[in-house]
PDB file of all heavy atoms in Angstrom:
ATOM      1  N   PHE J1385      59.635 175.990-110.012  1.00 89.00           N
ATOM      2  CA  PHE J1385      58.552 176.618-110.759  1.00 89.00           C
ATOM      3  C   PHE J1385      59.026 176.932-112.171  1.00 89.00           C
ATOM      4  O   PHE J1385      60.171 177.359-112.369  1.00 89.00           O
ATOM      5  CB  PHE J1385      58.117 177.931-110.078  1.00 89.00           C
ATOM      6  CG  PHE J1385      57.502 177.748-108.722  1.00 89.00           C
ATOM      7  CD1 PHE J1385      58.295 177.780-107.583  1.00 89.00           C
ATOM      8  CD2 PHE J1385      56.140 177.541-108.585  1.00 89.00           C
ATOM      9  CE1 PHE J1385      57.734 177.619-106.329  1.00 89.00           C
ATOM     10  CE2 PHE J1385      55.568 177.383-107.328  1.00 89.00           C
ATOM     11  CZ  PHE J1385      56.362 177.415-106.201  1.00 89.00           C
ATOM     12  N   ALA J1388      56.675 180.837-116.156  1.00 89.00           N
ATOM     13  CA  ALA J1388      55.315 181.385-116.085  1.00 89.00           C
ATOM     14  C   ALA J1388      54.708 181.197-114.703  1.00 89.00           C
ATOM     15  O   ALA J1388      54.001 182.077-114.195  1.00 89.00           O
ATOM     16  CB  ALA J1388      54.431 180.723-117.138  1.00 89.00           C
ATOM     17  N   GLU J1389      54.970 180.056-114.066  1.00 90.00           N
ATOM     18  CA  GLU J1389      54.437 179.798-112.729  1.00 90.00           C
ATOM     19  C   GLU J1389      55.001 180.801-111.726  1.00 90.00           C
ATOM     20  O   GLU J1389      54.273 181.349-110.902  1.00 90.00           O
ATOM     21  CB  GLU J1389      54.778 178.376-112.289  1.00 90.00           C
ATOM     22  CG  GLU J1389      53.999 177.298-113.019  1.00 90.00           C
ATOM     23  CD  GLU J1389      54.560 175.910-112.782  1.00 90.00           C
ATOM     24  OE1 GLU J1389      55.632 175.780-112.146  1.00 90.00           O
ATOM     25  OE2 GLU J1389      53.922 174.952-113.243  1.00 90.00           O
ATOM     26  N   TYR J1390      56.317 181.041-111.808  1.00 92.00           N
ATOM     27  CA  TYR J1390      56.909 181.967-110.848  1.00 92.00           C
ATOM     28  C   TYR J1390      56.431 183.394-111.094  1.00 92.00           C
ATOM     29  O   TYR J1390      56.203 184.147-110.148  1.00 92.00           O
ATOM     30  CB  TYR J1390      58.436 181.919-110.871  1.00 92.00           C
ATOM     31  CG  TYR J1390      59.017 182.816-109.801  1.00 92.00           C
ATOM     32  CD1 TYR J1390      59.077 182.390-108.486  1.00 92.00           C
ATOM     33  CD2 TYR J1390      59.425 184.121-110.098  1.00 92.00           C
ATOM     34  CE1 TYR J1390      59.554 183.229-107.480  1.00 92.00           C
ATOM     35  CE2 TYR J1390      59.892 184.966-109.105  1.00 92.00           C
ATOM     36  CZ  TYR J1390      59.958 184.516-107.796  1.00 92.00           C
ATOM     37  OH  TYR J1390      60.408 185.356-106.802  1.00 92.00           O
ATOM     38  N   ARG J1391      56.264 183.772-112.373  1.00 92.00           N
ATOM     39  CA  ARG J1391      55.757 185.113-112.654  1.00 92.00           C
ATOM     40  C   ARG J1391      54.372 185.294-112.031  1.00 92.00           C
ATOM     41  O   ARG J1391      54.073 186.335-111.444  1.00 92.00           O
ATOM     42  CB  ARG J1391      55.703 185.360-114.171  1.00 92.00           C
ATOM     43  CG  ARG J1391      57.062 185.470-114.833  1.00 92.00           C
ATOM     44  CD  ARG J1391      56.972 186.115-116.214  1.00 92.00           C
ATOM     45  NE  ARG J1391      56.087 185.375-117.112  1.00 92.00           N
ATOM     46  CZ  ARG J1391      56.478 184.415-117.916  1.00 92.00           C
ATOM     47  NH1 ARG J1391      57.749 184.036-117.932  1.00 92.00           N
ATOM     48  NH2 ARG J1391      55.615 183.811-118.724  1.00 92.00           N
ATOM     49  N   ASP J1392      53.537 184.276-112.147  1.00 92.00           N
ATOM     50  CA  ASP J1392      52.212 184.334-111.520  1.00 92.00           C
ATOM     51  C   ASP J1392      52.330 184.443-110.003  1.00 92.00           C
ATOM     52  O   ASP J1392      51.640 185.251-109.360  1.00 92.00           O
ATOM     53  CB  ASP J1392      51.409 183.080-111.872  1.00 92.00           C
ATOM     54  CG  ASP J1392      50.843 183.127-113.288  1.00 92.00           C
ATOM     55  OD1 ASP J1392      50.911 184.197-113.911  1.00 92.00           O
ATOM     56  OD2 ASP J1392      50.347 182.088-113.752  1.00 92.00           O
ATOM     57  N   LEU J1393      53.199 183.609-109.418  1.00 94.00           N
ATOM     58  CA  LEU J1393      53.382 183.610-107.968  1.00 94.00           C
ATOM     59  C   LEU J1393      53.844 184.984-107.496  1.00 94.00           C
ATOM     60  O   LEU J1393      53.325 185.534-106.514  1.00 94.00           O
ATOM     61  CB  LEU J1393      54.401 182.535-107.570  1.00 94.00           C
ATOM     62  CG  LEU J1393      54.638 182.368-106.065  1.00 94.00           C
ATOM     63  CD1 LEU J1393      53.404 181.782-105.392  1.00 94.00           C
ATOM     64  CD2 LEU J1393      55.845 181.452-105.816  1.00 94.00           C
ATOM     65  N   TYR J1394      54.801 185.550-108.218  1.00 93.00           N
ATOM     66  CA  TYR J1394      55.338 186.856-107.830  1.00 93.00           C
ATOM     67  C   TYR J1394      54.269 187.939-107.924  1.00 93.00           C
ATOM     68  O   TYR J1394      54.115 188.758-107.004  1.00 93.00           O
ATOM     69  CB  TYR J1394      56.517 187.224-108.726  1.00 93.00           C
ATOM     70  CG  TYR J1394      57.049 188.617-108.446  1.00 93.00           C
ATOM     71  CD1 TYR J1394      57.986 188.823-107.435  1.00 93.00           C
ATOM     72  CD2 TYR J1394      56.605 189.716-109.174  1.00 93.00           C
ATOM     73  CE1 TYR J1394      58.455 190.093-107.159  1.00 93.00           C
ATOM     74  CE2 TYR J1394      57.073 190.990-108.909  1.00 93.00           C
ATOM     75  CZ  TYR J1394      57.987 191.182-107.900  1.00 93.00           C
ATOM     76  OH  TYR J1394      58.450 192.439-107.619  1.00 93.00           O
ATOM     77  N   MET J1396      51.032 187.688-107.825  1.00 94.00           N
ATOM     78  CA  MET J1396      50.006 187.513-106.797  1.00 94.00           C
ATOM     79  C   MET J1396      50.538 187.926-105.426  1.00 94.00           C
ATOM     80  O   MET J1396      49.822 188.526-104.616  1.00 94.00           O
ATOM     81  CB  MET J1396      49.528 186.066-106.783  1.00 94.00           C
ATOM     82  CG  MET J1396      48.760 185.672-108.039  1.00 94.00           C
ATOM     83  SD  MET J1396      48.421 183.890-108.151  1.00 94.00           S
ATOM     84  CE  MET J1396      47.120 183.713-106.917  1.00 94.00           C
ATOM     85  N   VAL J1461      57.945 178.516 -99.853  1.00 92.00           N
ATOM     86  CA  VAL J1461      56.769 178.310-100.700  1.00 92.00           C
ATOM     87  C   VAL J1461      55.507 178.255 -99.834  1.00 92.00           C
ATOM     88  O   VAL J1461      54.490 178.888-100.136  1.00 92.00           O
ATOM     89  CB  VAL J1461      56.898 177.014-101.524  1.00 92.00           C
ATOM     90  CG1 VAL J1461      55.607 176.732-102.287  1.00 92.00           C
ATOM     91  CG2 VAL J1461      58.069 177.119-102.503  1.00 92.00           C
ATOM     92  N   LEU J1465      52.465 180.995-100.172  1.00 94.00           N
ATOM     93  CA  LEU J1465      51.120 180.549-100.559  1.00 94.00           C
ATOM     94  C   LEU J1465      50.110 180.829 -99.452  1.00 94.00           C
ATOM     95  O   LEU J1465      48.957 181.170 -99.721  1.00 94.00           O
ATOM     96  CB  LEU J1465      51.137 179.065-100.913  1.00 94.00           C
ATOM     97  CG  LEU J1465      51.918 178.702-102.182  1.00 94.00           C
ATOM     98  CD1 LEU J1465      51.939 177.192-102.396  1.00 94.00           C
ATOM     99  CD2 LEU J1465      51.341 179.397-103.406  1.00 94.00           C
ATOM    100  N   ILE J1468      49.273 184.610 -99.597  1.00 94.00           N
ATOM    101  CA  ILE J1468      48.365 185.027-100.675  1.00 94.00           C
ATOM    102  C   ILE J1468      47.018 184.307-100.580  1.00 94.00           C
ATOM    103  O   ILE J1468      46.240 184.284-101.524  1.00 94.00           O
ATOM    104  CB  ILE J1468      48.991 184.820-102.068  1.00 94.00           C
ATOM    105  CG1 ILE J1468      49.263 183.335-102.352  1.00 94.00           C
ATOM    106  CG2 ILE J1468      50.262 185.619-102.206  1.00 94.00           C
ATOM    107  CD1 ILE J1468      49.787 183.075-103.760  1.00 94.00           C
ATOM    108  N   MET J1470      46.093 181.083-100.247  1.00 91.00           N
ATOM    109  CA  MET J1470      45.786 179.783-100.825  1.00 91.00           C
ATOM    110  C   MET J1470      45.370 178.843 -99.693  1.00 91.00           C
ATOM    111  O   MET J1470      46.001 178.834 -98.636  1.00 91.00           O
ATOM    112  CB  MET J1470      47.013 179.196-101.541  1.00 91.00           C
ATOM    113  CG  MET J1470      47.369 179.882-102.848  1.00 91.00           C
ATOM    114  SD  MET J1470      46.134 179.618-104.138  1.00 91.00           S
ATOM    115  CE  MET J1470      45.602 181.300-104.439  1.00 91.00           C
ATOM    116  N   ASN J1471      44.345 178.067 -99.884  1.00 86.00           N
ATOM    117  CA  ASN J1471      43.903 177.123 -98.862  1.00 86.00           C
ATOM    118  C   ASN J1471      44.634 175.796 -99.016  1.00 86.00           C
ATOM    119  O   ASN J1471      44.943 175.372-100.127  1.00 86.00           O
ATOM    120  CB  ASN J1471      42.391 176.890 -98.973  1.00 86.00           C
ATOM    121  CG  ASN J1471      41.596 178.130 -98.628  1.00 86.00           C
ATOM    122  OD1 ASN J1471      41.945 178.848 -97.688  1.00 86.00           O
ATOM    123  ND2 ASN J1471      40.545 178.401 -99.384  1.00 86.00           N
ATOM    124  N   THR J1476      51.359 170.035-100.768  1.00 83.00           N
ATOM    125  CA  THR J1476      50.712 169.449-101.945  1.00 83.00           C
ATOM    126  C   THR J1476      49.383 170.131-102.223  1.00 83.00           C
ATOM    127  O   THR J1476      49.088 170.516-103.364  1.00 83.00           O
ATOM    128  CB  THR J1476      50.494 167.936-101.740  1.00 83.00           C
ATOM    129  OG1 THR J1476      51.757 167.301-101.517  1.00 83.00           O
ATOM    130  CG2 THR J1476      49.834 167.315-102.953  1.00 83.00           C
ATOM    131  N   GLU J1477      48.567 170.314-101.190  1.00 84.00           N
ATOM    132  CA  GLU J1477      47.274 170.959-101.360  1.00 84.00           C
ATOM    133  C   GLU J1477      47.427 172.429-101.717  1.00 84.00           C
ATOM    134  O   GLU J1477      46.709 172.965-102.571  1.00 84.00           O
ATOM    135  CB  GLU J1477      46.454 170.822-100.075  1.00 84.00           C
ATOM    136  CG  GLU J1477      46.028 169.383 -99.764  1.00 84.00           C
ATOM    137  CD  GLU J1477      45.269 169.290 -98.445  1.00 84.00           C
ATOM    138  OE1 GLU J1477      45.061 170.350 -97.805  1.00 84.00           O
ATOM    139  OE2 GLU J1477      44.889 168.181 -98.062  1.00 84.00           O
ATOM    140  N   LEU J1478      48.377 173.106-101.082  1.00 88.00           N
ATOM    141  CA  LEU J1478      48.608 174.521-101.366  1.00 88.00           C
ATOM    142  C   LEU J1478      49.002 174.737-102.824  1.00 88.00           C
ATOM    143  O   LEU J1478      48.478 175.619-103.508  1.00 88.00           O
ATOM    144  CB  LEU J1478      49.701 175.065-100.444  1.00 88.00           C
ATOM    145  CG  LEU J1478      49.321 175.281 -98.977  1.00 88.00           C
ATOM    146  CD1 LEU J1478      50.566 175.486 -98.130  1.00 88.00           C
ATOM    147  CD2 LEU J1478      48.398 176.486 -98.836  1.00 88.00           C
ATOM    148  N   LEU J1479      49.947 173.903-103.294  1.00 89.00           N
ATOM    149  CA  LEU J1479      50.399 174.036-104.681  1.00 89.00           C
ATOM    150  C   LEU J1479      49.288 173.699-105.660  1.00 89.00           C
ATOM    151  O   LEU J1479      49.131 174.359-106.696  1.00 89.00           O
ATOM    152  CB  LEU J1479      51.614 173.139-104.922  1.00 89.00           C
ATOM    153  CG  LEU J1479      52.937 173.647-104.349  1.00 89.00           C
ATOM    154  CD1 LEU J1479      54.004 172.561-104.422  1.00 89.00           C
ATOM    155  CD2 LEU J1479      53.410 174.890-105.096  1.00 89.00           C
ATOM    156  N   SER J1480      48.525 172.663-105.348  1.00 86.00           N
ATOM    157  CA  SER J1480      47.429 172.283-106.226  1.00 86.00           C
ATOM    158  C   SER J1480      46.441 173.429-106.381  1.00 86.00           C
ATOM    159  O   SER J1480      45.981 173.732-107.499  1.00 86.00           O
ATOM    160  CB  SER J1480      46.724 171.042-105.667  1.00 86.00           C
ATOM    161  OG  SER J1480      45.650 170.660-106.508  1.00 86.00           O
ATOM    162  N   ASN J1481      46.112 174.095-105.277  1.00 87.00           N
ATOM    163  CA  ASN J1481      45.186 175.212-105.333  1.00 87.00           C
ATOM    164  C   ASN J1481      45.787 176.413-106.052  1.00 87.00           C
ATOM    165  O   ASN J1481      45.076 177.156-106.736  1.00 87.00           O
ATOM    166  CB  ASN J1481      44.758 175.608-103.919  1.00 87.00           C
ATOM    167  CG  ASN J1481      43.847 174.566-103.289  1.00 87.00           C
ATOM    168  OD1 ASN J1481      43.117 173.873-103.991  1.00 87.00           O
ATOM    169  ND2 ASN J1481      43.906 174.431-101.981  1.00 87.00           N
ATOM    170  N   PHE J1482      47.087 176.601-105.925  1.00 90.00           N
ATOM    171  CA  PHE J1482      47.744 177.687-106.653  1.00 90.00           C
ATOM    172  C   PHE J1482      47.724 177.426-108.149  1.00 90.00           C
ATOM    173  O   PHE J1482      47.366 178.296-108.957  1.00 90.00           O
ATOM    174  CB  PHE J1482      49.188 177.849-106.172  1.00 90.00           C
ATOM    175  CG  PHE J1482      50.043 178.677-107.105  1.00 90.00           C
ATOM    176  CD1 PHE J1482      49.824 180.035-107.251  1.00 90.00           C
ATOM    177  CD2 PHE J1482      51.058 178.080-107.844  1.00 90.00           C
ATOM    178  CE1 PHE J1482      50.598 180.794-108.125  1.00 90.00           C
ATOM    179  CE2 PHE J1482      51.841 178.828-108.710  1.00 90.00           C
ATOM    180  CZ  PHE J1482      51.613 180.186-108.853  1.00 90.00           C
ATOM    181  N   TYR J1483      48.123 176.208-108.556  1.00 87.00           N
ATOM    182  CA  TYR J1483      48.190 175.897-109.981  1.00 87.00           C
ATOM    183  C   TYR J1483      46.820 176.028-110.662  1.00 87.00           C
ATOM    184  O   TYR J1483      46.728 176.406-111.824  1.00 87.00           O
ATOM    185  CB  TYR J1483      48.729 174.480-110.190  1.00 87.00           C
ATOM    186  CG  TYR J1483      50.197 174.327-109.877  1.00 87.00           C
ATOM    187  CD1 TYR J1483      50.663 173.230-109.156  1.00 87.00           C
ATOM    188  CD2 TYR J1483      51.124 175.269-110.290  1.00 87.00           C
ATOM    189  CE1 TYR J1483      52.017 173.080-108.861  1.00 87.00           C
ATOM    190  CE2 TYR J1483      52.475 175.134-110.003  1.00 87.00           C
ATOM    191  CZ  TYR J1483      52.917 174.037-109.286  1.00 87.00           C
ATOM    192  OH  TYR J1483      54.243 173.894-109.009  1.00 87.00           O
ATOM    193  N   SER J1484      45.766 175.696-109.938  1.00 87.00           N
ATOM    194  CA  SER J1484      44.432 175.720-110.539  1.00 87.00           C
ATOM    195  C   SER J1484      43.667 177.012-110.257  1.00 87.00           C
ATOM    196  O   SER J1484      42.527 177.160-110.684  1.00 87.00           O
ATOM    197  CB  SER J1484      43.609 174.532-110.018  1.00 87.00           C
ATOM    198  OG  SER J1484      43.448 174.607-108.609  1.00 87.00           O
ATOM    199  N   SER J1485      44.298 177.943-109.549  1.00 88.00           N
ATOM    200  CA  SER J1485      43.609 179.160-109.149  1.00 88.00           C
ATOM    201  C   SER J1485      43.230 180.030-110.353  1.00 88.00           C
ATOM    202  O   SER J1485      44.078 180.333-111.204  1.00 88.00           O
ATOM    203  CB  SER J1485      44.490 179.985-108.202  1.00 88.00           C
ATOM    204  OG  SER J1485      43.904 181.256-107.944  1.00 88.00           O
ATOM    205  N   PRO J1486      41.977 180.469-110.414  1.00 87.00           N
ATOM    206  CA  PRO J1486      41.578 181.381-111.485  1.00 87.00           C
ATOM    207  C   PRO J1486      42.176 182.767-111.319  1.00 87.00           C
ATOM    208  O   PRO J1486      42.095 183.599-112.227  1.00 87.00           O
ATOM    209  CB  PRO J1486      40.046 181.419-111.347  1.00 87.00           C
ATOM    210  CG  PRO J1486      39.790 181.090-109.908  1.00 87.00           C
ATOM    211  CD  PRO J1486      40.857 180.105-109.532  1.00 87.00           C
ATOM    212  N   ASN J1487      42.775 183.028-110.150  1.00 88.00           N
ATOM    213  CA  ASN J1487      43.399 184.331-109.900  1.00 88.00           C
ATOM    214  C   ASN J1487      44.814 184.428-110.436  1.00 88.00           C
ATOM    215  O   ASN J1487      45.421 185.500-110.369  1.00 88.00           O
ATOM    216  CB  ASN J1487      43.388 184.625-108.399  1.00 88.00           C
ATOM    217  CG  ASN J1487      41.994 184.790-107.853  1.00 88.00           C
ATOM    218  OD1 ASN J1487      41.120 185.339-108.511  1.00 88.00           O
ATOM    219  ND2 ASN J1487      41.771 184.298-106.640  1.00 88.00           N
ATOM    220  N   ARG J1488      45.355 183.317-110.929  1.00 89.00           N
ATOM    221  CA  ARG J1488      46.675 183.396-111.550  1.00 89.00           C
ATOM    222  C   ARG J1488      46.605 184.317-112.757  1.00 89.00           C
ATOM    223  O   ARG J1488      45.735 184.148-113.627  1.00 89.00           O
ATOM    224  CB  ARG J1488      47.160 182.013-111.974  1.00 89.00           C
ATOM    225  CG  ARG J1488      47.662 181.137-110.845  1.00 89.00           C
ATOM    226  CD  ARG J1488      48.169 179.811-111.364  1.00 89.00           C
ATOM    227  NE  ARG J1488      49.231 179.978-112.344  1.00 89.00           N
ATOM    228  CZ  ARG J1488      49.784 178.988-113.039  1.00 89.00           C
ATOM    229  NH1 ARG J1488      49.332 177.751-112.860  1.00 89.00           N
ATOM    230  NH2 ARG J1488      50.737 179.210-113.904  1.00 89.00           N
ATOM    231  N   PRO J1489      47.491 185.301-112.845  1.00 88.00           N
ATOM    232  CA  PRO J1489      47.441 186.243-113.971  1.00 88.00           C
ATOM    233  C   PRO J1489      47.423 185.566-115.335  1.00 88.00           C
ATOM    234  O   PRO J1489      46.708 186.006-116.240  1.00 88.00           O
ATOM    235  CB  PRO J1489      48.713 187.069-113.771  1.00 88.00           C
ATOM    236  CG  PRO J1489      48.921 187.053-112.300  1.00 88.00           C
ATOM    237  CD  PRO J1489      48.503 185.673-111.868  1.00 88.00           C
ATOM    238  N   ARG J1491      46.110 182.857-116.107  1.00 67.00           N
ATOM    239  CA  ARG J1491      44.897 182.065-116.328  1.00 67.00           C
ATOM    240  C   ARG J1491      43.637 182.930-116.384  1.00 67.00           C
ATOM    241  O   ARG J1491      42.537 182.418-116.527  1.00 67.00           O
ATOM    242  CB  ARG J1491      44.724 181.011-115.224  1.00 67.00           C
ATOM    243  CG  ARG J1491      45.716 179.876-115.336  1.00 67.00           C
ATOM    244  CD  ARG J1491      45.514 178.858-114.221  1.00 67.00           C
ATOM    245  NE  ARG J1491      44.151 178.358-114.142  1.00 67.00           N
ATOM    246  CZ  ARG J1491      43.659 177.410-114.935  1.00 67.00           C
ATOM    247  NH1 ARG J1491      44.410 176.887-115.887  1.00 67.00           N
ATOM    248  NH2 ARG J1491      42.410 176.997-114.790  1.00 67.00           N
ATOM    249  N   THR J1503      46.650 175.236-117.130  1.00 38.00           N
ATOM    250  CA  THR J1503      47.617 175.079-116.055  1.00 38.00           C
ATOM    251  C   THR J1503      48.829 174.293-116.537  1.00 38.00           C
ATOM    252  O   THR J1503      48.709 173.380-117.343  1.00 38.00           O
ATOM    253  CB  THR J1503      46.979 174.356-114.848  1.00 38.00           C
ATOM    254  OG1 THR J1503      47.915 174.324-113.775  1.00 38.00           O
ATOM    255  CG2 THR J1503      46.568 172.946-115.190  1.00 38.00           C
TER     256      THR J1503
END
Side-chain angles (χ1 to χ4, degrees):
F1385 295 91
E1389 288 168 354
Y1390 184 80
R1391 291 197 302 269
D1392 283 350
L1393 183 69
Y1394 175 85
M1396 292 171 74
V1461 174
L1465 292 177
I1468 63 176
M1470 288 292 118
N1471 293 320
T1476 301
E1477 292 177 1
L1478 287 166
L1479 284 169
S1480 180
N1481 289 331
F1482 165 69
Y1483 289 136
S1484 61
S1485 172
N1487 295 323
R1488 284 182 58 186
R1491 288 180 54 80
T1503 185

